[in-house]
């Protein structure tokens, strides 16, 4: 069983787990019943940023239309359009040994597809979590349950993995944004 983190907590990944190079970042959620008549499609994405939290190259933004970055370090395993069932709904695989030198942080976010048109927000999402699993042993290293502190937000930066003195660390961010994926892209310096 992995370590349970709370919002704002930071933890070592590679220093306390020697030999850890490949992880799976699993994201999961449930949607509450509502009468909007639309499916609830949540999407995971990853922003590979420099030290100033800016994405330098458009291809360093990983989402359902760009599943792998040019280095092959970060790979989205594909879009899940319903969030049905237990376990991870979407996964992002990271190979720390391949992450290019210009990438200092990997921010992981979840957004609601077409949230405004469908009148949906994170207030209608429950049991959202992120977990980090050692890909080679399938051991869960850590888990962060986001809790229910969102209402009108349509995008959430769930966590970030970042370099620190040659090691990789995990930060449980859990900060919400209004304006969906477009607002997140602008936040990380991408033109929308």
């Amino acid at each position: 069983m992995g370590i349970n983190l709370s919002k704002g907590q930071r933890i070592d990944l590679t220093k306390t787990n020697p030999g850890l190079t490949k992880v799976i970042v699993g994201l999961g959620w449930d949607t509450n019943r509502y009468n909007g008549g639309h499916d609830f499609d949540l999407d995971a994405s990853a922003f590979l940023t420099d030290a100033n939290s800016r994405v330098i190259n458009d291809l360093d933004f990983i989402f359902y239309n760009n599943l792998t970055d040019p280095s092959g370090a970060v790979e989205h395993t594909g879009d899940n359009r319903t969030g049905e069932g237990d376990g991870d709904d979407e996964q992002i695989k990271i190979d720390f040994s391949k992450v290019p030198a210009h990438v200092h942080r990997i921010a992981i976010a979840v957004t609601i597809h077409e949230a405004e048109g469908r009148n949906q927000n994170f207030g209608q999402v429950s049991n959202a979590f992120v977990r980090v699993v050692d890909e080679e042993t399938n051991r869960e290293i850590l888990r962060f349950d986001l809790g229910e502190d969102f209402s009108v937000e349509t995008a959430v930066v769930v966590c970030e993995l970042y370099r620190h003195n040659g090691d990789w660390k995990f930060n449980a961010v859990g900060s919400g944004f209004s304006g969906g994926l477009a607002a997140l892209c602008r936040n990380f310096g991408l033109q929308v």
Side-chain angles (χ1 to χ4, degrees), residues 10-162:
R10 295 169 187 260
I11 188 172
D12 278 309
L13 282 177
T14 52
K15 189 187 272 183
T16 48
N17 298 282
L20 180 70
T21 53
K22 293 182 177 179
V23 296
I24 299 169
V25 179
L27 300 127
W29 50 78
D30 293 319
T31 51
N32 305 335
R33 293 193 177 278
Y34 87 119
N35 298 324
H38 293 283
D39 284 339
F40 231 94
D41 180 8
L42 273 66
D43 296 312
S45 52
F47 296 86
L48 283 60
T49 75
D50 63 9
N52 301 316
S53 294
R54 290 281 178 252
V55 175
I56 302 193
N57 173 350
D58 285 353
L59 294 174
D60 285 343
F61 165 45
I62 308 305
F63 68 118
Y64 53 84
N65 280 338
N66 179 37
L67 294 175
T68 312
D69 79 292
S71 73
V74 180
E75 178 197 349
H76 191 307
T77 61
D79 190 13
N80 172 335
R81 293 173 185 247
T82 62
E84 293 293 314
D86 293 335
D88 300 339
D89 291 310
E90 293 195 5
Q91 292 182 331
I92 293 173
K93 295 181 174 186
I94 301 172
D95 183 341
F96 295 127
S97 69
K98 290 184 180 174
V99 177
H102 72 273
V103 175
H104 287 260
R105 294 175 186 273
I106 301 169
I108 309 281
V110 177
T111 53
I112 301 174
H113 187 63
E114 294 181 1
E116 284 174 24
R118 296 176 180 183
N119 201 18
Q120 296 171 345
N121 58 53
F122 271 96
Q124 296 156 320
V125 174
S126 56
N127 305 323
F129 69 85
V130 58
R131 64 192 195 112
V132 175
V133 176
D134 180 337
E135 187 176 341
E136 289 181 6
T137 64
N138 218 18
R139 180 178 67 90
E140 184 174 296
I141 298 168
L142 63 86
R143 182 183 178 101
F144 168 40
D145 290 300
L146 272 79
E148 309 295 317
D149 46 357
F150 302 105
S151 55
V152 298
E153 293 88 351
T154 52
V156 175
V157 176
V158 179
C159 63
E160 60 180 18
L161 295 86
Y162 64 99

Side-chain angles (χ1 to χ4, degrees), residues 178-190:
S178 297
L181 193 55
L184 271 188
C185 287
R186 283 191 291 274
N187 178 62
F188 289 109
L190 286 164

